[in-house]
Amino acid sequence: MFKTLVFAALTLMCVFAGALLTHAGPSAQGELTAENSNYALYLNREGTGSISLLDKASGYTWVSAAEPDKLENVSEDWRRFASSLAVMDFLTDTGSVRRANITEPPEYELFDAGFSAAVTFSDAGVKLKLIVTLTENGLSVEVPDDSIEYLGTNIISKLYILPFFGAAYADELQGYLFVPDGCGALVRFGPPKAYSGSYVGRIYGDDYSVSGGTSKKNLVTLPVPAQKIYLPVFGIAHGYKEAAFLAVVESGDEFCEIEASPAGNIVDFFWQAPRFVYHELYWQPTGAGSGFNAMTPRRNTVNAKVSYYFLSGSDADYVGMANKYKQSLVAGGILKKPELGADGDIPLKLDALMAEQRRTLFGSSAHPMTTTEEVEQWIVSFTSQGIRNFCVALTGWESGGVSGHKLGTFAPESKTGGESGLSKLAGTAEANGVTLALQSNYAMGYERQVPAADSVYGMSGNFTFEEVTKPLFSVKRYMNLEGILRIAQAVASQKDYKRALALDGVGSILVSDFNSARTVYREQAREGMRQILDLFAQNTSSLYLESPNLYGLPYSDAVYNAPDSHSRQVYESDAVPFYQIVLSGYKEVYSPYLNYRYNSEKDLLRLMDYNMYPAYLLTEKYSSEFTGTNIIDVYSSRRQDWEPIILETYGKLQSVLSRVRGREIVSRETVAEDVVVVGYSGGGAVVVNYSEREYNYKGAAVPALSGVYTEEAGL
């Protein structure tokens, strides 16, 4: 599969190189409404209105409406969808969801930098105002909440903004949709196919307090789990390094979905757009197995705003999009350059699973898998063999183990060494220059771990929970903000060796809380979580966060379990390291556990390609001793079995990634079938050969299934 996808990418690249776009996109239509040194904005008042934007750097024109002759065989509703400034889904007073397009010309008001359009959705009986502003960086489109006006009993559910901006007809153009699915995905333009749906993802993940209700979450075993969206962005590229834009959802991101549709799914266009959620349906149970769909009573506070940044030439690809976004995060103080150690060694993360609940005759009790004394031996062993820069994170270290402790306890499990053992381990770690972190999930836990008073409530009035198929405990609850805040405050009073933390879930899970005594809406939950993360950062010596959403990035010293794949929808042709490119040079990024993977060679090469550091979950005992516990997905974890593999893997990665540590990815190209060249700031490149044959790059031999660093600049 990998070879097929990369070869397809290579084929397209070669086509691009031989036949670059010779036109400048559709011609601008309408009146010039705003202009600056970089762009010109045109408004076409015909029909329901559309816009064109001329990027002066490339000479390329971007339009918001499809060409009419390409819509001859589609329904009237879809013709309107493809030519409107906005499209609305609305809820009727009977609870049904319908779609409304703009059916009459908007009322326009021009101002120096753009215009506003008062639009009426007659079928919905809803009016609102779009404000379109030309900036030095591109284009801004916003819909203020206070401009939404109801003319009847229907209410707004969801709103698309510029749904066909940058849309491409079938294979008329070379290019792709960049979708922020997991680490990042491309949907390449091509002939229409009979796709049965489009990609829809919620920025920062689903709000299970609404979408989950009290219905149990049925977990389907998939080859690759569905990924989430961590960053509020999407993009479209036309041609090979010709013209592209990055769209950033600046406001309303916690209520925004990204929809990306391939050609052949209803219409023969590739299109992608933000869809803002104002009201939605949830399941209200009335008894065992019965219930009805109800509408959320409160309109979400959205104030939708999307900024479009236009790219041309060598910047007009997903790497350029990632670096444009990085620039904005640096300017906003979200990303800051870290201080790196002088030795230049890449870091390694070893997670020691200490204890877990195991079934007994009368219930369950903590079963030790690793002791603090044994972890001391690990440290001595690894450092004596030349690994100097690594973190040991203890998981299941609390009294009761992974699923048996109360969330927020700082009391260590006595069977693994207790307080004295943890203190002694901390001393050994410090003496050897090793970071010792305590890893915990304070965002959710099993029912016995999260008291009712600290639990999140769903819209239906019951606990927000997730059901999983496990031997001992099967229901997980989410912890509310007050509970997590108490833990963050408690860190300040802990001993120094308990103040380096690795937090699962916190920073990547965002849910509302509909407890009638203290309702917390999603936008409030985001702000509350940001304040909690700020407090954790103040009270800790080091703070590692598991794949944080945008708002968690300023507080993390390192990112672990970073996404390295997409959801593998049938129309997603390429996985790309957008998330990693954004963080490159600014955050240490660790992979998912490598001992969970089946293809160790390709996984190692992906780390070289994506500039990620290795992570492993280890135990001193055989993983067979997890029998009768809730940990059923760890098949091989014994440290003695994995240590030689870790040393070999680390050596290979060290020889390549140490040369680019602390540097930023500036380019990434497929130069041959299964061969990728990743260019770095300051010059030099990493060449990754996924193929089973040797490849010659600029006179240097790159062996099969290997990666090398070269001083030769990337393409």
Side-chain angles (χ1 to χ4, degrees):
M1 171 65 83
F2 180 85
K3 178 179 290 186
T4 301
L5 295 181
V6 175
F7 182 67
L10 172 63
T11 302
L12 286 172
M13 187 192 75
C14 294
V15 171
F16 294 162
L20 297 178
L21 288 176
T22 57
H23 59 85
S27 58
Q29 297 183 358
E31 62 187 284
L32 178 66
T33 59
E35 185 174 16
N36 57 36
S37 58
N38 298 321
Y39 309 104
L41 175 64
Y42 297 84
L43 170 63
N44 180 8
R45 297 176 185 250
E46 291 184 10
T48 56
S50 63
I51 64 170
S52 306
L53 183 137
L54 171 64
D55 182 353
K56 296 180 180 180
S58 64
Y60 197 78
T61 300
W62 296 90
V63 298
S64 69
E67 297 176 65
D69 62 342
K70 295 186 173 64
L71 297 170
E72 293 177 351
N73 298 318
V74 303
S75 68
E76 179 63 24
D77 281 346
W78 273 97
R79 280 198 292 271
R80 292 184 183 278
F81 187 97
S83 59
S84 292
L85 295 171
V87 175
M88 178 184 295
D89 291 342
F90 67 96
L91 292 163
T92 68
D93 52 8
T94 61
S96 62
V97 180
R98 295 175 55 193
R99 176 158 292 177
N101 293 292
I102 302 172
T103 54
E104 54 189 77
E107 299 175 9
Y108 298 102
E109 287 187 22
L110 303 184
F111 54 88
D112 288 345
F115 67 90
S116 65
V119 299
T120 301
F121 296 90
S122 301
D123 292 344
V126 180
K127 294 179 66 176
L128 53 79
K129 181 181 290 186
L130 280 89
I131 302 173
V132 181
T133 306
L134 191 68
T135 70
E136 290 299 320
N137 294 316
L139 189 68
S140 168
V141 183
E142 52 191 310
V143 178
D145 282 0
D146 60 12
S147 75
I148 299 172
E149 179 183 352
Y150 294 132
L151 307 177
T153 57
N154 299 326
I155 62 174
I156 184 173
S157 174
K158 300 181 180 182
L159 182 72
Y160 293 89
I161 291 179
L162 299 185
F164 256 54
F165 190 69
Y169 182 71
D171 56 355
E172 186 175 77
L173 293 174
Q174 305 290 353
Y176 51 78
L177 310 177
F178 160 68
V179 184
D181 176 19
C183 64
L186 304 184
V187 179
R188 292 191 180 273
F189 302 160
K193 296 181 180 179
Y195 295 115
S196 59
S198 57
Y199 169 87
V200 178
R202 184 77 170 261
I203 294 175
Y204 310 139
D206 289 339
D207 186 345
Y208 296 117
S209 291
V210 179
S211 64
T214 58
S215 60
K216 295 180 179 180
K217 184 181 178 186
N218 296 317
L219 301 179
V220 179
T221 301
L222 300 171
V224 176
Q227 302 295 306
K228 59 175 279 193
I229 297 177
Y230 300 90
L231 303 174
V233 298
F234 65 93
I236 298 179
H238 287 184
Y240 176 68
K241 296 187 181 296
E242 285 279 320
F245 71 73
L246 169 72
V248 180
V249 182
E250 307 275 11
S251 178
D253 42 337
E254 59 268 29
F255 295 113
C256 184
E257 299 169 335
I258 304 298
E259 182 167 1
S261 183
N265 176 41
I266 304 179
V267 295
D268 291 341
F269 282 85
F270 290 88
W271 60 271
Q272 185 170 209
R275 184 172 72 181
F276 292 90
V277 180
Y278 292 83
H279 286 277
E280 53 194 313
L281 297 176
Y282 69 96
W283 182 251
Q284 178 63 61
T286 56
S290 63
F292 59 92
N293 283 323
M295 180 184 64
T296 52
R298 170 191 180 262
R299 192 174 78 196
N300 294 330
T301 302
V302 177
N303 288 307
K305 181 179 180 180
V306 184
S307 295
Y308 297 82
Y309 299 87
F310 299 92
L311 307 166
S312 61
S314 61
D315 293 327
D317 63 2
Y318 65 86
V319 179
M321 297 177 197
N323 283 315
K324 172 60 72 172
Y325 188 52
K326 177 190 291 186
Q327 291 172 13
S328 69
L329 298 184
V330 172
I334 293 174
L335 291 180
K336 297 180 180 179
K337 276 285 188 182
E339 294 183 8
L340 299 178
D343 56 23
D345 287 354
I346 66 169
L348 166 70
K349 187 170 185 282
L350 302 178
D351 290 5
L353 200 157
M354 307 301 286
E356 172 57 323
Q357 289 289 298
R358 191 177 189 183
R359 192 185 305 279
T360 65
L361 185 62
F362 301 104
S364 67
S365 65
H367 178 69
M369 293 295 295
T370 310
T371 67
T372 52
E373 184 177 357
E374 288 163 344
V375 177
E376 287 187 72
Q377 295 169 6
W378 297 6
I379 291 174
V380 172
S381 179
F382 279 104
T383 54
S384 67
Q385 295 178 82
I387 298 184
R388 296 178 294 274
N389 183 12
F390 68 102
C391 166
V392 173
L394 309 184
T395 182
W397 62 275
E398 304 97 330
S399 179
V402 174
S403 61
H405 69 277
K406 296 295 183 184
L407 265 60
T409 182
F410 284 87
E413 169 56 45
S414 60
K415 294 178 182 178
T416 63
E419 194 72 52
S420 61
L422 183 59
S423 175
K424 186 171 180 291
L425 169 59
T428 299
E430 183 178 9
N432 286 273
V434 173
T435 299
L436 178 68
L438 304 182
Q439 187 160 318
S440 302
N441 188 339
Y442 298 139
M444 65 187 307
Y446 292 101
E447 286 181 300
R448 62 186 288 173
Q449 297 181 282
V450 185
D454 289 338
S455 297
V456 167
Y457 283 74
M459 177 63 73
S460 62
N462 296 299
F463 296 127
T464 299
F465 68 88
E466 175 184 311
E467 186 175 60
V468 294
T469 304
K470 297 293 178 84
L472 289 179
F473 318 114
S474 59
V475 177
K476 285 187 169 184
R477 290 180 184 169
Y478 293 85
M479 177 168 267
N480 62 37
L481 292 180
E482 291 181 2
I484 304 175
L485 177 62
R486 285 199 305 274
I487 299 171
Q489 292 169 335
V491 175
S493 61
Q494 301 304 312
K495 296 177 180 178
D496 288 347
Y497 57 81
K498 292 183 179 179
R499 295 181 64 180
L501 300 182
L503 303 183
D504 298 348
V506 179
S508 59
I509 293 176
L510 187 63
V511 292
S512 305
D513 184 1
F514 295 103
N515 185 323
S516 58
R518 43 164 174 71
T519 299
V520 179
Y521 298 105
R522 189 167 162 98
E523 77 276 12
Q524 297 169 331
R526 172 184 171 166
E527 176 57 23
M529 190 60 73
R530 189 196 64 75
Q531 294 177 10
I532 287 170
L533 288 168
D534 185 35
L535 186 58
F536 270 120
Q538 292 178 42
N539 290 342
T540 54
S541 56
S542 295
L543 184 62
Y544 293 64
L545 293 181
E546 181 188 27
S547 53
N549 296 326
L550 169 65
Y551 53 84
L553 290 177
Y555 310 106
S556 63
D557 294 310
V559 170
Y560 64 94
N561 194 24
D564 65 349
S565 65
H566 55 59
S567 300
R568 297 192 184 177
Q569 302 286 347
V570 65
Y571 40 76
E572 292 180 322
S573 56
D574 309 57
V576 295
F578 186 92
Y579 189 85
Q580 286 79 1
I581 295 170
V582 170
L583 300 185
S584 65
Y586 286 83
K587 299 288 182 184
E588 289 183 350
V589 178
Y590 294 94
S591 71
Y593 294 135
L594 292 182
N595 52 322
Y596 275 32
R597 300 302 179 89
Y598 69 93
N599 191 335
S600 58
E601 283 185 313
K602 293 292 177 67
D603 293 323
L604 172 63
L605 296 178
R606 187 182 298 110
L607 265 61
M608 294 181 184
D609 184 358
Y610 288 16
N611 196 357
M612 292 196 296
Y613 302 126
Y616 296 85
L617 179 67
L618 303 177
T619 57
E620 188 65 21
K621 293 182 178 180
Y622 285 101
S623 55
S624 59
E625 296 203 27
F626 285 125
T627 301
T629 77
N630 260 27
I631 298 177
I632 59 176
D633 54 353
V634 179
Y635 304 108
S636 178
S637 60
R638 185 169 175 258
R639 188 266 310 176
Q640 287 182 318
D641 296 333
W642 278 95
E643 184 167 327
I645 299 172
I646 293 170
L647 292 170
E648 180 183 4
T649 298
Y650 183 87
K652 291 179 179 179
L653 291 170
Q654 168 75 0
S655 67
V656 175
L657 294 183
S658 65
R659 306 293 297 277
V660 295
R661 187 172 177 230
R663 291 159 63 183
E664 301 175 44
I665 295 174
V666 296
S667 65
R668 182 176 182 269
E669 298 285 352
T670 300
V671 295
E673 183 181 354
D674 293 350
V675 181
V676 176
V677 177
V678 184
Y680 281 85
S681 58
V686 171
V687 185
V688 181
N689 184 1
Y690 289 97
S691 76
E692 297 182 1
R693 66 192 183 285
E694 182 179 284
Y695 178 75
N696 187 289
Y697 178 72
K698 296 186 177 181
V702 184
L705 296 172
S706 69
V708 301
Y709 173 79
T710 174
E711 292 290 349
E712 294 285 346
L715 296 180

